[in-house]
Amino acid sequence: TVFNPSHVGGLFSTFDAMAVGEVDYLTGGIPAHYSGRLSSVLDIGLRPGRTNFGVMGMVSLLASKLLVEGPLPFKGSSFLVSGRRTYAAKVIPLFTDYELPYYFNDGSGKLAFPLPSGVLVTVTGYIGNDVLSYDFADAVSGAAGLTLRVDWGNRLLGLNYDDFLFGKPLRLGASITEFSTTV
């Protein structure tokens, strides 16, 4: 579960689109393994890394991102790591007198280990952080300045074991997730 799954109030997705492999949107009849969700579920899975080494990136006036993927030394294993950082707060003052006291950064990754028996073990992780920091008043002649700083974000780590039992797919998973806010 990813709490508050967006950046800038929904303007930016939580996940890098270059790293996403599958998306399921469930609006009703939600299976029990989604822990009692009431209205809808957006289930996003990262794709496994490629079997050959690759690097993709993007640079814009608002943000930069980089994705690195490739094989691991174990037969058929792969990795995928993606990171992103906004820097509009540094660019906007170059063109105007206004400030944007906000930025975010995030990263996600997936390790995939196929075993000879047909079992697939995957480890998936995500970390994201949003920061809003605004100076209301500068320190003047001995008086303390006044700054509002709010940062919030998600961290998660998941482990999946995919196999077949009596010809039917079997998935066992465990995860830990955290959402934190500091003011």
Side-chain angles (χ1 to χ4, degrees):
T1 302
V2 178
F3 301 97
N4 192 20
S6 65
H7 296 295
V8 196
L11 188 60
F12 285 91
S13 168
T14 299
F15 302 101
D16 179 3
M18 294 188 309
V20 172
E22 60 187 67
V23 177
D24 291 323
Y25 182 57
L26 307 171
T27 59
I30 300 167
H33 68 269
Y34 288 108
S35 301
R37 299 297 182 252
L38 296 176
S39 61
S40 63
V41 171
L42 182 60
D43 188 354
I44 299 173
L46 296 181
R47 64 182 177 78
R50 298 187 323 196
T51 55
N52 55 345
F53 187 78
V55 176
M56 292 187 281
M58 184 207 72
V59 176
S60 74
L61 286 175
L62 298 177
S64 292
K65 62 183 177 179
L66 180 68
L67 181 137
V68 180
E69 61 186 325
L72 291 171
F74 317 105
K75 185 177 180 180
S77 299
S78 65
F79 75 93
L80 180 141
V81 178
S82 173
R84 183 170 52 167
R85 169 72 155 88
T86 61
Y87 44 78
K90 304 291 184 194
V91 174
I92 288 175
L94 298 174
F95 300 103
T96 179
D97 293 335
Y98 295 104
E99 292 182 31
L100 178 66
Y102 170 85
Y103 70 89
F104 75 82
N105 52 50
D106 59 26
S108 55
K110 183 172 187 175
L111 301 173
F113 303 98
L115 303 178
S117 63
V119 171
L120 177 63
V121 176
T122 57
V123 179
T124 306
Y126 172 81
I127 187 167
N129 193 46
D130 293 67
V131 176
L132 174 66
S133 181
Y134 186 75
D135 294 325
F136 283 102
D138 294 328
V140 193
S141 62
L146 177 62
T147 299
L148 169 67
R149 181 179 170 99
V150 182
D151 55 89
W152 63 97
N154 289 285
R155 288 169 201 60
L156 67 91
L157 182 65
L159 173 68
N160 282 334
Y161 173 91
D162 292 292
D163 198 357
F164 285 91
L165 183 64
F166 304 115
K168 302 287 184 185
L170 170 68
R171 171 171 274 187
L172 301 174
S175 64
I176 184 166
T177 184
E178 174 190 60
F179 176 78
S180 62
T181 302
T182 305
V183 178

